[in-house]
Amino acid sequence: MRVTSPAVTSENREPVEESPRAKRLILGDPLTSEKLDDQLLPKRRALPIFASDALSSVAYAPQELLMILLIGGTAFLAFAPWVATAVVVLLIVVVLSYRQLIKAYPSGGGDYEVARKNLGEKSGVVVAAALLVDYVLTVAVSVASGVDNIISAIPELNPGRIELAVGFVILIIIVNLRGVREASFAFAIPTYVFIGSVAVMIVVGLARTALGDPPVASSAEFAVQGEELTQAAMILLILRAFSSGCSALTGVEAVSNGVPAFRRPKVGNAQMTLVLMGSIAIVLFAGLTALGLISGVHYAENPCNLIGFDCATQVQPSLMAQIAAGTFGMGSIPFYVIQAATACVLLLAANTAFNGFPLLGSVLARDGYAPKALNTRGDRLVYSNGMIILGIAAIAVLVIYQANLTTLIQLYIIGVFVSFSLGQIGMVRHWRRSLREIAALPPDAASQESAALTRRSAYTGLVINSVGAAMTISVLLIVTITKFTHGAWLVFIAIPILAILMVGVHRYYRDVEHEIEVDDTTHFGAEGDVALILVNRLQKPVIKAIDYALAAKHENTFAIHVAVSAEESAALQRQWEEHSIPVKLVIIESPYRSYAAPIAKFIKKYRESYGSSVVTVYLPQYIVGHWWESLLHNRRSRRIAQQLMLVHGVSITLVPWLLDSSELIYGRRSRPLPGEDRAGRPSTPEIQRAGRRATRPAGPPQPEKESTPVA
């Protein structure tokens, strides 16, 4: 005779909510997989999403360039136009090179995929590690720079620099977790306001200069205490200024990593977005560098080196703030518009990393170099696990370095130029291989005509990527030499460690895959079927577990009670007989008060006596609605389940029992069923009594053929 359950109970209601209310309030309702195409981006929305890093870097790249040159004194500012020109030329070459990469590898792997397919596994993981490190630093540098600009406008906020930075990272995480489409809406306006306002400032500043009324920066009156340098030190200083100016190139690779996020035609839209991003970045970088020199901006690495500046009580304004104040006037509406737009776009520049990091992480997870969880889309169809990991890492860096931009910038761009260099070398090999394959085509007319077109594009790509490889390798050497002793050595430690970890993850997944692969020689040979229901006290969850076990019609079914107290065991036996439970109760003594070990011993002896039976262990488990309730329930059952899963031939079946608080998760019915209240409980005394009677067995058990378990 089966033990029956109530006809209508709260635990068999269908859940009406798929996620907690607080999560839905913050992130929005979950999206179905069919909505994925709706999340793809057109060019006008992809630009602020993928280009915000490259565009925002023009706010601090000219500042860093001039700051390094000022170490040698104001006379070194004469080298600034030439250094800026070299940065612009490099940016043009890199943009052209990545147009070729997007065309050849549009799957979203970017430099990682190029290096892995053309240079081998080790080069691929080094590129991936470098990009991941650079994405973390992108978030840290962008947020720190944004906070710097906010403090330049409101110096009173300086004591809360770290708290502001951490708060902004958390805000960006939440916005990105809501989905790519909503993030594009949130980030589009500040990015376009920044582009427009800075462009207007450059035009106005250059027009004033042409009319004989150039803007004057607030720091132009301060002399600079320069260092005495040897000829070698002068060259190194100029090279260091060039490497700091090259921070304007960060973010260029994000478009190649994000091709899958574009609308069709994906390659064409990604290439157009890349060209627009590069063109705007070049114009803004060149214009701000020119205005910085015209207005006489003196931005020192150590503000105390500015003669006449009170570094003890004043905060050094950023280059952008000084140019805006000199062009439009301190405290004017355009000044605050530019400062607000600059701060916003610098903060939002971190968003480039929040798109590139998860996409790259998903590719690495797909290839087995990262945990599989990074390839799982969240409720809003974004790779939420990657976003959360990136946010936590960036917050850690900001806290460790006190959100200090000058310190963080020394760690920056090393990773991106490692990936630039290996990616361009990989593209050179790709085009050379393509030319060899074209040369091997059969010599018929049709194939010759198509081969000529393909050969022309291959030669074009080979030339562009060869120049790109030569320039990026040179810059990598310069950046390494000039920044290594200023903190960049940490990056050269982090990249190999991360690469080794990724190779280790790949080896682990490979070994597990080999271990679980189906073959024709492995046989498990199960010969029997027995169910064990673990019983502590006779309660409704136990009755439900018995009901489930009997419904499964196992060959043998036993209730197991581990006796740690003689009084409890005697009380359970009396209840068992009183309620005529149709399952044999087996009591196992446990003098050492352990639970899993006696059960495991019982299972082992049973299988020795009756063959290699499949043993199904039924464990009742409470389902609760409050997080703190999970600390008060299920601790023992979870430990027992974890230990029994290590026993051969055992499978665990968790039988849920929904407590009333679980309605916080599953919700309430909008309309009660007949005979129910709104909570789903029987609404009349007669039905309530019937429900209680239904939990008891209808009569004594029918005689069954049972095997006696090993005691």
Side-chain angles (χ1 to χ4, degrees):
M1 178 70 67
R2 285 186 54 198
V3 179
T4 58
S5 299
V8 180
T9 58
S10 61
E11 68 266 20
N12 51 31
R13 291 201 304 272
E14 290 292 330
V16 297
E17 297 180 4
E18 296 183 3
S19 57
R21 190 171 303 171
K23 181 179 179 182
R24 291 191 298 112
L25 182 64
I26 296 173
L27 304 184
D29 292 327
L31 299 174
T32 63
S33 299
E34 289 76 14
K35 298 286 185 181
L36 184 59
D37 285 344
D38 296 337
Q39 299 295 303
L40 299 179
L41 300 172
K43 293 187 291 292
R44 67 181 182 278
R45 291 182 191 157
L47 183 65
I49 285 286
F50 291 105
S52 56
D53 180 22
L55 296 179
S56 67
S57 62
V58 302
Y60 54 80
Q63 173 179 294
E64 295 298 315
L65 187 155
L66 298 180
M67 181 189 72
I68 298 301
L69 289 175
L70 273 176
I71 293 174
T74 54
F76 275 74
L77 293 179
F79 295 106
W82 302 104
V83 176
T85 300
V87 173
V88 169
V89 171
L90 179 62
L91 183 54
I92 292 172
V93 171
V94 170
V95 168
L96 293 176
S97 298
Y98 272 90
R99 285 189 80 252
Q100 301 297 320
L101 190 150
I102 290 171
K103 180 180 178 181
Y105 295 92
S107 62
D111 287 318
Y112 156 72
E113 186 174 5
V114 173
R116 190 171 73 90
K117 289 187 175 180
N118 296 284
L119 302 178
E121 178 191 41
K122 293 181 180 178
S123 297
V125 295
V126 167
V127 168
L131 283 173
L132 294 177
V133 169
D134 193 70
Y135 281 136
V136 173
L137 292 174
T138 293
V139 176
V141 169
S142 300
V143 171
S145 182
V147 170
D148 253 9
N149 276 269
I150 292 174
I151 293 174
S152 295
I154 312 174
E156 294 79 9
L157 296 176
N158 189 46
R161 176 187 296 270
I162 299 175
E163 292 79 3
L164 277 173
V166 172
F168 281 125
V169 173
I170 294 173
L171 179 62
I172 295 169
I173 293 173
I174 293 173
V175 173
N176 276 280
L177 288 175
R178 291 186 65 90
V180 174
R181 186 179 180 86
E182 292 198 29
S184 69
F185 282 117
F187 299 152
I189 294 176
T191 302
Y192 286 122
V193 169
F194 170 78
I195 295 171
S197 61
V198 174
V200 169
M201 182 177 70
I202 292 171
V203 171
V204 171
L206 295 178
R208 285 183 55 181
T209 303
L211 295 174
D213 180 28
V216 179
S218 59
S219 62
E221 61 183 22
F222 301 134
V224 179
Q225 183 180 349
E227 299 178 5
E228 293 185 6
L229 302 172
T230 63
Q231 185 174 1
M234 290 172 56
I235 296 173
L236 284 174
L237 186 66
I238 295 171
L239 292 176
R240 185 181 168 194
F242 171 70
S243 66
S244 294
C246 286
S247 59
L249 277 74
T250 57
V252 173
E253 81 290 343
V255 178
S256 66
N257 291 335
V259 176
F262 284 84
R263 283 186 181 173
R264 296 179 180 85
K266 293 179 181 290
V267 172
N269 286 336
Q271 287 180 324
M272 180 59 69
T273 301
L274 179 64
V275 171
L276 286 173
M277 177 195 70
S279 303
I280 295 170
I282 288 170
V283 171
L284 298 186
F285 175 81
L288 287 172
T289 304
L291 282 183
L293 293 172
I294 291 170
S295 62
V297 172
H298 292 161
Y299 190 91
E301 187 174 23
N302 182 1
C304 294
N305 289 338
L306 295 176
I307 301 173
F309 180 76
D310 186 3
C311 61
T313 59
Q314 292 180 315
V315 177
Q316 184 177 205
S318 65
L319 176 140
M320 186 72 75
Q322 294 189 50
I323 294 176
T327 304
F328 298 112
M330 176 66 76
S332 63
I333 292 177
F335 169 80
Y336 283 112
V337 169
I338 289 174
Q339 284 303 101
T342 302
C344 284
V345 82
L346 283 167
L347 294 171
L348 300 182
N351 187 66
T352 298
F354 276 98
N355 282 274
F357 186 102
L359 287 170
L360 178 59
S362 71
V363 174
L364 290 170
R366 180 197 67 195
D367 293 342
Y369 291 99
K372 299 298 184 184
L374 293 180
N375 198 28
T376 302
R377 294 185 183 269
D379 288 349
R380 302 291 294 180
L381 296 177
V382 295
Y383 296 110
S384 51
N385 292 326
M387 292 179 178
I388 293 171
I389 291 172
L390 172 61
I392 293 172
I395 288 173
V397 172
L398 284 167
V399 172
I400 291 171
Y401 287 92
Q402 302 291 294
N404 188 306
L405 178 62
T406 303
T407 306
L408 287 170
I409 204 75
Q410 305 305 323
L411 309 178
Y412 204 27
I413 80 171
I414 297 288
V416 75
F417 272 98
V418 169
S419 63
F420 280 174
S421 302
L422 291 175
Q424 295 306 306
I425 295 172
M427 285 301 297
V428 170
R429 285 201 174 183
H430 166 79
W431 293 123
R432 292 178 64 181
R433 186 177 64 252
S434 298
L435 288 171
R436 289 195 299 270
E437 291 173 355
I438 293 168
L441 290 174
D444 57 272
S447 63
Q448 284 180 357
E449 183 178 352
S450 61
L453 296 174
T454 308
R455 187 181 293 109
R456 189 179 304 118
S457 62
Y459 274 121
T460 302
L462 179 61
V463 171
I464 292 173
N465 291 123
S466 296
V467 174
M471 295 188 71
T472 53
I473 291 172
S474 302
V475 174
L476 176 60
L477 294 174
I478 293 170
V479 170
T480 302
I481 293 170
T482 57
K483 287 180 176 264
F484 190 85
T485 58
H486 292 83
W489 58 271
L490 286 171
V491 178
F492 284 99
I493 293 176
I495 291 175
I497 290 175
L498 191 55
I500 291 171
L501 288 175
M502 286 194 290
V503 171
V505 169
H506 187 264
R507 298 291 186 270
Y508 171 79
Y509 278 133
R510 181 198 62 190
D511 293 343
V512 170
E513 191 67 24
H514 177 72
E515 182 179 342
I516 64 176
E517 187 178 6
V518 175
D519 56 48
D520 295 329
T521 59
T522 302
H523 299 284
F524 295 100
E527 298 175 353
D529 174 28
V530 62
L532 305 180
I533 304 119
L534 302 192
V535 179
N536 185 30
R537 292 185 295 166
L538 190 57
Q539 296 171 312
K540 289 181 181 179
V542 172
I543 297 296
K544 183 178 179 182
I546 294 172
D547 188 31
Y548 280 24
L550 292 176
K553 293 182 172 55
H554 298 278
E555 291 180 6
N556 290 299
T557 303
F558 305 111
I560 302 294
H561 173 72
V562 178
V564 296
S565 167
E567 292 78 8
E568 290 182 0
S569 301
L572 177 62
Q573 284 180 308
R574 287 195 300 270
Q575 285 183 301
W576 207 264
E577 295 172 359
E578 177 186 347
H579 292 278
S580 302
I581 305 300
V583 173
K584 184 170 183 178
L585 177 65
V586 178
I587 296 178
I588 304 175
E589 298 294 334
S590 179
Y592 295 101
R593 298 165 304 284
S594 61
Y595 290 87
I599 297 170
K601 185 177 180 181
F602 174 87
I603 293 171
K604 182 179 179 181
K605 287 185 177 180
Y606 185 94
R607 298 187 81 208
E608 288 175 353
S609 300
Y610 298 99
S612 55
S613 302
V614 174
V615 180
T616 304
V617 178
Y618 288 83
L619 271 170
Q621 182 166 316
Y622 293 127
I623 306 298
V624 298
H626 301 97
W627 65 269
W628 50 266
E629 289 181 277
S630 62
L631 302 177
L632 305 177
H633 298 293
N634 302 323
R635 313 303 294 179
R636 183 188 298 165
S637 64
R638 288 175 183 171
R639 289 196 300 269
I640 292 173
Q642 290 173 350
Q643 292 175 293
L644 291 183
M645 281 191 288
L646 300 175
V647 180
H648 289 294
V650 172
S651 64
I652 307 296
T653 298
L654 298 178
V655 181
W657 181 269
L658 277 64
L659 297 179
D660 287 343
S661 64
S662 65
E663 290 178 350
L664 294 173
I665 301 174
Y666 284 78
R668 299 175 182 269
R669 283 200 185 97
S670 59
R671 295 180 181 175
L673 293 176
E676 282 188 344
D677 59 17
R678 294 186 65 83
R681 292 186 289 264
S683 59
T684 65
E686 291 78 9
I687 296 177
Q688 291 172 0
R689 286 195 295 271
R692 285 195 294 269
R693 287 196 302 271
T695 63
R696 302 194 185 109
Q702 298 295 323
E704 294 181 2
K705 182 180 179 181
E706 283 187 350
S707 298
T708 303
V710 179

